[in-house]
Amino acid sequence: MSGVASFVPTPLLLSDSAKARLRSLVEEEGNRGLKLRVYVTGGGCSGFQYGFDFAESVAEDDTLVEFDDVALVVDPLSYQYLVGSTVDFEEGLAGARFMIQNPNATTTCGCGASFMV
């Protein structure tokens, strides 16, 4: 070993396409205080499913992850399932959507909206 290594954990990442889409949505709403709330609920075909919503306020126990002029908000229950994940945005023939690339998921469904750990 060469010595002590420094590690800064990254709770959540936001892809460039997700930043651009979120920035666009915030501008459309005319409210710079809007943040993207990312959460996990029980259900879906793999056990848990992802959800997205806008949030104007942040609860005391929420985690706020800021990226320049946009931000993500995650509640404490969802946070444990999302640590290290990347929020992305894709547009295609099936439509446009935010999606999660989650390294903690052991299984995901075909649509990518639900997962199992």
Side-chain angles (χ1 to χ4, degrees):
M1 281 205 166
S2 61
V4 176
S6 177
F7 175 74
V8 178
T10 305
L12 276 161
L13 299 173
L14 192 62
S15 72
D16 289 339
S17 61
K19 285 179 194 174
R21 182 60 180 151
L22 182 53
R23 196 172 290 121
S24 172
L25 290 170
V26 167
E27 287 175 12
E28 284 177 25
E29 291 295 318
N31 182 351
R32 293 196 173 269
L34 286 180
K35 298 153 189 60
L36 182 64
R37 180 171 292 280
V38 183
Y39 58 92
V40 173
T41 59
C45 50
S46 294
F48 294 102
Q49 59 189 3
Y50 301 113
F52 301 94
D53 198 2
F54 278 117
E56 287 188 89
S57 60
V58 179
E60 186 176 302
D61 59 349
D62 281 340
T63 298
L64 176 66
V65 186
E66 296 179 296
F67 302 90
D68 300 320
D69 58 341
V70 294
L72 299 175
V73 178
V74 183
D75 65 87
L77 179 63
S78 299
Y79 180 86
Q80 64 186 327
Y81 298 109
L82 295 170
V83 171
S85 296
T86 299
V87 177
D88 196 8
F89 181 78
E90 71 173 15
E91 290 184 87
L93 295 174
R97 66 184 178 144
F98 284 102
M99 56 184 287
I100 304 281
Q101 297 167 359
N102 188 342
N104 306 307
T106 57
T107 309
T108 59
C109 69
C111 68
S114 67
F115 69 102
M116 182 182 304
V117 289

